[in-house]
Amino acid sequence: MTRLNTLFQQNRASQRKTLAAFITAGDPTPEATLTLMHALVSAGADIIELGVPFSDPAADGSIIQAAGDRALHNGTNMQTVLSTVASFRKTDNATPVVLMGYLNPIEIMGYDTFAQQAAKVGVDGVITVDMPPEEGEALVHALKSNDLDSIFLLAPTTAPERIKSICDIASGFVYYVSLKGVTGSASLNTMEVAERLSIIREYTDLPVGVGFGIRDADSARQVATVADAVVVGSAIVQRIAENLEDVGAAVKCVSEFVTELRQAIDSVK
Amino acid sequence: MSTMSSNQETEAAEDYSLFPDQRGHFGPYGGTFIAETLMEPVRELQRTYLRYAQDQDFVKEFDWELKHYVGRPSPMYHAERWSKQLGGAQIFLKREDLNHTGAHKINNTVGQVLLASKMGKKRVIAETGAGQHGVATATVAAKLGLDCVVYMGAKDIQRQSMNVYRMRLLGAEVIPVTSGSGTLKDALNDAMRDWAANVDNTFYVIGTVAGPHPYPMMVRDFNSIIGREAREQVLELHGQLPDALIACVGGGSNAMGLFYPFLNDKNVAMYGVEAAGKGISSGEHAAPLCAGKPGVLHGNRTYLLENDDGQIIEPHSISAGLDYPGVGPEHAWLKDTGRVNYVPITDNEALNAFHDLTRMEGIIPALESSHALAYATQLAPTMAPEKVMVVNLSGRGDKDINTVAAIEGIQV
């Protein structure tokens, strides 16, 4: 059983909503990322989404792009990301780690090599934002052969028949993008999200995570009323950006924030 | 495919007009590599474009605008004096520089902005490097009364202040892009972000034969008027097809426009000229086909300038219009099939050709087109005087006067 499946099964049984926390690997340094990953778990995150930096992140907003630029600037590459996961696994063998990024850094490694190495260090799933299922057959196959989950995004613009075909090849969970736009965008309409989620659930039994636009405890709580998992990214990355000179302060600030998010979604029963 | 290798042997196609396939693939290249939010709008565009491309009324309206608004057909000019000086093939210039707004770019924007208005979109957005595509988009948007937003790298805004002012005069909002390296590729990223946030009312007018399907095909089709006219004109002037075609390739829209109607004519040799900047070996160039690797960027798989980690490398060229780290996927495929030869021309070689044409023929070419002209000066002398080559003079050089003057230390 994969770590993601185990987690969602346990959380479902204990009626606990899942909290996924996103940070960019290598921001501000690979060492800080490792410390932050453990801190996120201690503060209540159930899944770590680790952003793989890319020079041209067209689906991300300015906060995550800036984090990626910082990471690239200090030399972070796929090997760095994978060794960070390997280090994390030395003391945490339970928390699922999902890599999120763009296709080109994977393409240049070769799909099979990437999938083998990712599986070996303890990665659980992969989100490739610029690879729709139509173009993804080979990568999905390589991931599956290495027991890695292929996690796909669903958008407000995704038509029902397409929701079905995406869910058919997805595993682990599906990730509903709660608004039209890029990561870190402004507003989120819980009613609208609830409607879309009920459509998505007609087509799949996979857990549904919701992300994009969740910026505080209040929006996290609202989303937790309808989703299986709440994904928070830019709001965490922004707190790291505000404490670049002091990793200790960044860890403290991020931990306090994630603790608030945890309490907020735990208040939903 | 799980692995891609460059320079792989690919067989020539029987009929090049049949590409791309239904999913937008040119062999292993092209496709639709975009975020899920954009999938539905891109699929809607695929359906709509395929419908209008077959619609006689739309085709008639497009042709009418090209004739009366753009000023087509553009002339085919025999550069006799220059040909004689070079002592080889007869050089014919396809005068896209004489189009309204001064370059081939308007062929495509007339098509796409017309399509946007048919689709009921009230707002068009575009990315621009040197500003030519931005001006061409703002021009047609003004004419059709649509809102227009142009994303332009902050560095390019400084370098091309005249075009920025032209766009603003035309009523467009020009948004400086400071993210990433603040150049064309980043402007494209920001335009994609805008599109994702405003899919309901916005049409994204891409300026070259790149991006997710159907853009590479659509932009090629709108520009292929260049090659169709060239074919007729050369047949009329010369009685047979040309022996060679030459065009510069940044993203590659003017080259695809010229080449496409000749791809099945096996005896017509074709040369796509990439910007070698300070020289391929310097690493400072914009020549992904000559010195790059296949990868995925901006919605398609194609040749890219990238490092060993798959991160995109900032290109360099004296010509802002060629300063792009990727290239249209059809060019990637035409390279692998061997149908088109892709060759590098440096900044200095292009500058020399800029001066040569200006002095020999009284025509000031764009620095982009000067790359094609520079290759003509190398190729023409190797061919007999009865041979004919067509060089696409894709734009006029007025916009580059300040760049050239600055390089030569002249205060204008």
Side-chain angles (χ1 to χ4, degrees), chain A residues 53-58 60 65 72 77 104 107-108 111 129-130 132 134-135 153 155 157-158 162 180-182, chain B residues 1-2 23 25 31-33 35-37 39-40 179 185 189 193 196 200 295-296 301 306-307 309-312:
Chain A
F54 182 50
S55 52
D56 293 79
D60 283 299
Q65 177 165 27
L72 291 174
N77 60 17
N104 207 46
E107 180 124 338
I108 202 158
Y111 296 165
V129 292
D130 59 345
E134 288 86 340
E135 303 283 359
L153 304 187
T157 48
T158 309
R162 200 176 150 74
K180 293 172 190 167
V182 294
Chain B
M1 69 234 50
S2 58
R23 290 166 52 200
H25 292 140
T32 309
F33 293 89
E36 181 57 28
T37 307
M39 279 306 290
E40 188 47 42
S179 62
K185 75 179 182 70
N189 293 336
R193 292 176 179 123
D200 297 329
V296 172
R301 182 180 281 121
E306 57 181 340
N307 68 16
D309 298 328
Q311 307 295 342
I312 305 308

Side-chain angles (χ1 to χ4, degrees), chain A residues 5 45 59 69 89:
Chain A
N5 286 349
D69 287 346
R89 282 280 171 254

Side-chain angles (χ1 to χ4, degrees), chain B residues 102-331:
Chain B
H104 74 288
K105 292 285 184 190
I106 192 129
N107 301 322
N108 169 47
T109 60
V110 163
Q112 285 197 50
V113 179
L114 262 182
L115 197 59
S117 85
K118 300 285 176 208
M119 291 172 78
K121 305 287 184 185
K122 303 284 182 226
R123 178 175 182 267
V124 295
I125 59 172
E127 83 294 336
T128 198
Q132 294 304 103
H133 173 60
V135 167
T137 305
T139 297
V140 186
K143 172 181 152 60
L144 293 178
L146 303 181
D147 290 339
C148 179
V149 171
V150 179
Y151 288 90
M152 187 168 181
K155 282 184 205 158
D156 290 331
I157 285 182
Q158 276 183 348
R159 292 194 282 205
Q160 302 284 343
S161 57
M162 191 67 86
N163 271 344
V164 175
Y165 186 56
R166 285 170 83 191
M167 287 184 268
R168 287 183 174 144
L169 282 173
L170 289 160
E173 183 187 352
V174 180
I175 300 185
V177 176
T178 52
S179 62
S181 50
T183 57
L184 175 60
K185 75 179 182 70
D186 306 287
L188 225 146
N189 293 336
D190 267 12
M192 302 247 273
R193 292 176 179 123
D194 178 312
W195 196 23
N198 299 287
V199 287
D200 297 329
N201 70 347
T202 296
F203 187 106
Y204 180 16
V205 182
I206 293 185
T208 192
V209 285
H213 179 57
Y215 284 100
M217 169 178 76
M218 178 169 70
V219 176
R220 173 199 73 193
D221 292 351
F222 287 143
N223 270 308
S224 64
I225 183 72
I226 302 170
R228 289 200 304 275
E229 285 177 5
R231 211 183 148 85
E232 267 180 40
Q233 290 167 321
V234 173
L235 280 173
E236 193 185 313
L237 292 166
H238 175 61
Q240 60 189 64
L241 289 176
D243 300 288
L245 306 177
I246 304 179
C248 64
V249 176
S253 65
N254 89 79
M256 267 333 299
L258 176 63
F259 294 168
Y260 184 63
F262 292 95
L263 286 175
N264 286 336
D265 300 310
K266 294 198 167 64
N267 294 326
V268 180
M270 300 186 193
Y271 301 88
V273 184
E274 288 197 302
K278 296 177 182 171
I280 295 290
S281 59
S282 74
E284 292 186 55
H285 58 78
L289 292 169
C290 295
K293 285 177 288 199
V296 172
L297 179 72
H298 293 151
N300 57 176
R301 182 180 281 121
T302 186
Y303 279 81
L304 301 173
L305 297 181
E306 57 181 340
N307 68 16
D308 293 341
D309 298 328
Q311 307 295 342
I312 305 308
I313 297 172
E314 196 55 31
H316 165 83
S317 169
I318 188 177
S319 143
L322 301 181
D323 211 353
Y324 179 65
V327 62
E330 192 163 8
H331 286 294

